[in-house]
Amino acid sequence: MSEEKILMKGNEALAAAAVRAGCRFYFGYPITPQTEVAAYMSKAMPKIGGTFLQAESEIAAVNMLYGAAAAGARAMTSSSSPGISLKGEGISYMAGADLPAVIVNVQRGGPGLGTIQPSQSDYLQATRAMGHGDSRHIVLAPSTVQEDADLVYLAFDKADEYRMPVIILADGLLGQMMEPVVLPPEKEDLPEKPWATVGHHHKRAHNVANSLYLQPAELEEVLKERYERYARIEREEQRFEGVMLDDAEYVVVAFGAAARIARSAVVAAREEGIKAGLLRPITLWPFPADGVKQAAEHAKAFLSVEFNMGQMVDDVRLHVAGKAPVEFFGRAGGVIPTPDEVLFALRDQAAGKPVTPGMGVAQSAAGQLVIDPKESV
């Protein structure tokens, strides 16, 4: 008997999978383009004895998330880029208290209010600066609606396993598109959490969820232990997909929705005789350094394709370690690049030309894509 496929919007798939993963507390605040996550949860939670609460602000929502996580519940919040910025302090407090929770970011263009269109401009925030201090967060990047469901389901397990916040870094394109999805099964057995806080009526120890250490040496020891955990995550949790990488001379690195566009360009390049391949990071932290290093053993050049002004490209350069040139192509502000644009960049690399922002593709005054005839041969 085949598994049932359901046509779902990406935001709804994220929410449905969270419910099946055992999430029983959701706190949020509406913002485009992720509001469907909250809308789904507002209907689903009362039906299963869970709690949905639309907070008075993003800051209030993330601190409610802290409380539910401290009590040992599986809990989630979601927002879009500027809303996630407001949640940053609370996420930092959860990292400091070693609390597991899932945070979904359906990205839009920034900085500031920016635009409501899709973007990947929160890469550095998610992987480097989601709160002050010495902390890391697992960051998962879906590229299909099916992965929206699969990765949020995984996120709850990894949050509990490593006692840390896990971030789903989606974007407005994935959040709004519809694709067939097979939802994961209902979680039946959730892990015990002997560290969780309990009320005074409970017989076991009254744990405290805290991120304040007044003695420097004590905080240093906590940080050392935490970074040993982070090192294990870097060893064991790298995830990526490779497409035609075995003999690839020109490796495109792209994540999320950008990888869908890059994949089409790679296939088209192969049809022209250009040995292109795609490396798609699924974990943005830990970054799939091993995959990049392996590809660098035979690649002539790398191309980082992103919906921003250039962020992941620095991680690609770091792990290529000078073995091949690494170039960048991106569109920003909510502009989505086309497969043809990426293909032009690959043609330039194969011809030994530097990749430039134009890459033989210009914009007419009406905003339509215009292909330079000299570059279309």
Side-chain angles (χ1 to χ4, degrees):
M1 182 177 179
S2 62
E3 296 175 303
E4 181 185 8
K5 289 188 176 182
I6 306 170
L7 187 63
M8 299 189 80
K9 185 178 280 193
N11 284 338
E12 295 171 341
L14 286 164
V19 171
R20 288 171 173 253
C23 178
R24 292 298 179 266
F25 290 85
Y26 174 88
F27 311 101
Y29 189 80
I31 182 173
T32 303
Q34 69 79 50
T35 301
E36 292 90 348
V37 180
Y40 187 101
M41 287 301 210
S42 71
K43 296 177 180 178
M45 283 294 166
K47 295 177 182 178
I48 57 174
T51 296
F52 165 85
L53 200 154
Q54 181 174 308
E56 61 268 32
S57 70
E58 288 89 349
I59 296 171
V62 76
N63 283 290
M64 292 172 186
L65 183 71
Y66 183 109
R74 284 198 162 184
M76 184 175 87
T77 189
S78 66
S79 192
S80 187
S81 306
I84 293 293
S85 295
L86 290 168
K87 295 177 190 289
E89 181 185 48
I91 296 169
S92 180
Y93 273 62
M94 282 189 283
D98 295 312
L99 296 179
V102 175
I103 299 99
V104 173
N105 182 358
V106 183
Q107 298 168 91
R108 57 191 268 181
L113 289 177
T115 178
I116 64 171
Q117 305 303 323
S119 178
Q120 294 180 328
S121 58
D122 301 353
Y123 177 91
L124 288 176
Q125 180 193 54
T127 61
R128 298 291 196 281
M130 189 54 75
H132 65 282
D134 288 323
S135 67
R136 287 287 199 177
H137 313 85
I138 293 175
V139 183
L140 302 170
S143 71
T144 65
V145 176
Q146 181 64 62
E147 274 196 336
D148 276 340
D150 294 341
L151 293 184
V152 78
Y153 194 79
L154 175 70
F156 280 98
D157 286 343
K158 293 304 173 182
D160 281 344
E161 180 179 352
Y162 294 108
R163 282 188 62 184
M164 66 190 302
V166 175
I167 297 167
I168 302 291
L169 198 65
D171 62 67
L173 185 59
L174 287 172
Q176 296 299 318
M177 70 166 54
M178 297 185 75
E179 290 181 327
V181 179
V182 177
L183 291 174
E186 294 276 359
K187 284 277 185 184
E188 295 182 358
D189 297 315
L190 298 182
E192 294 290 329
K193 297 181 179 179
W195 49 263
T197 59
V198 293
H200 287 289
H201 67 280
H202 206 286
K203 293 182 179 179
R204 70 173 171 81
H206 297 154
N207 299 321
V208 176
N210 177 51
S211 64
L212 177 63
Y213 297 88
L214 294 178
Q215 298 302 319
E218 184 182 6
L219 177 57
E220 184 180 46
E221 289 304 311
V222 170
L223 289 171
K224 286 180 180 178
E225 183 281 324
R226 197 171 287 147
Y227 268 73
E228 289 173 2
R229 198 184 331 152
Y230 294 163
R232 180 159 63 92
I233 294 170
E234 287 186 293
R235 291 192 304 270
E236 299 177 5
E237 299 296 343
Q238 293 183 33
R239 286 175 166 80
F240 69 94
E241 178 190 14
V243 179
M244 295 183 283
L245 276 183
D246 289 346
D247 64 341
E249 296 178 346
Y250 303 95
V251 177
V252 180
V253 185
F255 69 94
R260 300 169 69 109
I261 294 164
R263 186 189 300 260
S264 296
V266 163
V267 171
R270 283 279 178 166
E271 291 173 352
E272 295 183 3
I274 299 171
K275 290 186 176 180
L278 171 67
L279 192 154
R280 178 176 70 90
I282 298 171
T283 51
L284 300 183
W285 193 85
F287 189 76
D290 295 343
V292 172
K293 290 174 183 177
Q294 184 176 354
E297 294 299 324
H298 54 75
K300 292 181 179 179
F302 286 77
L303 180 69
S304 186
V305 176
E306 308 173 50
F307 297 170
N308 56 45
M309 296 299 291
Q311 297 187 21
M312 183 181 67
V313 63
D314 291 334
D315 280 333
V316 180
R317 289 187 178 122
L318 175 67
H319 298 296
V320 169
K323 293 183 178 179
V326 179
E327 296 181 276
F328 168 75
F329 173 68
R331 302 297 301 272
V335 177
I336 304 300
T338 67
D340 279 345
E341 289 180 285
V342 180
L343 177 59
F344 275 109
L346 286 169
R347 286 175 180 170
D348 280 350
Q349 285 190 322
K353 301 177 183 178
V355 174
T356 62
M359 295 186 301
V361 180
Q363 296 290 324
S364 72
Q368 300 298 314
L369 195 66
V370 178
I371 299 177
D372 186 338
K374 298 189 297 296
E375 297 288 350
S376 61
V377 177

